[in-house]
Each structure stands twice: as structure tokens, then as C-alpha cells.
Amino acid sequence: MLTRTIIAAALAAAGIAAVPAPAYAASAAYTPERVCGKGFNRVKDGHRAMKTSRGAVFGHVYLMYNKRTGKNCVAAIKTAYVGARTTTGAYLEVRGGGRSEDVQGYRYYAETGHLDGAWKCVRYSGWTRDPGNHVTAWGGRKSWGNCQG
């Protein structure tokens, strides 16, 4: 027990979350394709790690596109504090179109919903916080991109 406590303290000091194995298994069950739904595929330049200011990775954010419907979706999937309700958000904005944001206390992921975006530029982001709401991990693209359908 003392060894486990020392390891957890060392990981916490390094800004890395110690998550039990079953939580990793639950997190692995959520892929961006599963979160956004049938027909959605990962977009080139549409993946970013959600990192803290110190570089710890708390999850990943994915920009997804459905070629058949012309819709975009963003999935922010946690890899730290999985199973714990922590503030987690996903954001998608279509230039000249709509924007969608989903922020709540989620256990596994946040998802924006589906926005029309064929032949329009988009920007996206995802973030999550630690259980104490002291540290935020952010990832995404602030500039416009993926301007083709």
C-alpha cells in the first residue's frame, strides 16, 4: 500500500493522472467514430492531444467528417480521470455557419453534435479538467482549416 501511495504521489507531482486499469478499458471503448456516429471519419489534421500547460495529456480531441451528409462533429475523449465526472467540453465552429459547444461534468467524453460544413472552413477544440477544477488540458486548432468537403 505504501508503494502504491508513493507512486501515486510521484505521478501527481509530475501532472500525470493515475487511473485504474478498468477506467482505461472504459475509455478505450469510446472512439471518435463511435462517439460521432455512423459514417463519420477522422479528418486530416483533425487530431490534437488535450494537454495541460505543463504538457500532461488528459485526453484527445478529434474533428470528424461525414462525406455523405457534409456534417462535422468534434469528440473530446478523456484519458485521465476516466469515470470521474470532470468538466469536459467540445467546441466546433463552421466559418459562415453555425457553432456548437458541449460542456458538462462528463465521465468519458464530450461531443458537439453534427453541423453542416461541406466546403466550409472549421475550427475546433476540446478540453477537460482535473476533479478539483485546478488544472485544464486543452487541444484543438484556433485557426480555420479543412476548407474542402
Side-chain angles (χ1 to χ4, degrees), residues 4-96:
R4 197 180 304 171
T5 303
I6 292 169
I7 291 171
L11 290 172
I16 301 169
V19 181
Y24 282 122
S27 177
Y30 294 103
T31 64
E33 292 83 3
R34 182 172 173 202
V35 170
C36 287
K38 185 177 179 182
F40 280 89
N41 296 295
R42 298 176 195 209
V43 172
K44 183 180 179 182
D45 191 39
H47 169 251
R48 300 285 193 280
M50 295 187 296
K51 296 181 180 181
T52 68
S53 61
R54 293 186 174 189
V57 175
F58 283 12
H60 297 269
V61 59
Y62 300 89
L63 173 63
M64 306 293 286
Y65 184 71
N66 185 317
K67 196 170 192 171
R68 187 180 59 77
T69 63
K71 293 189 182 285
N72 289 296
C73 171
V74 171
I77 302 174
K78 295 168 47 171
T79 57
Y81 308 109
V82 175
R85 287 197 183 277
T86 63
T87 303
T88 304
Y91 177 80
L92 170 63
E93 183 175 1
V94 177
R95 181 185 266 169

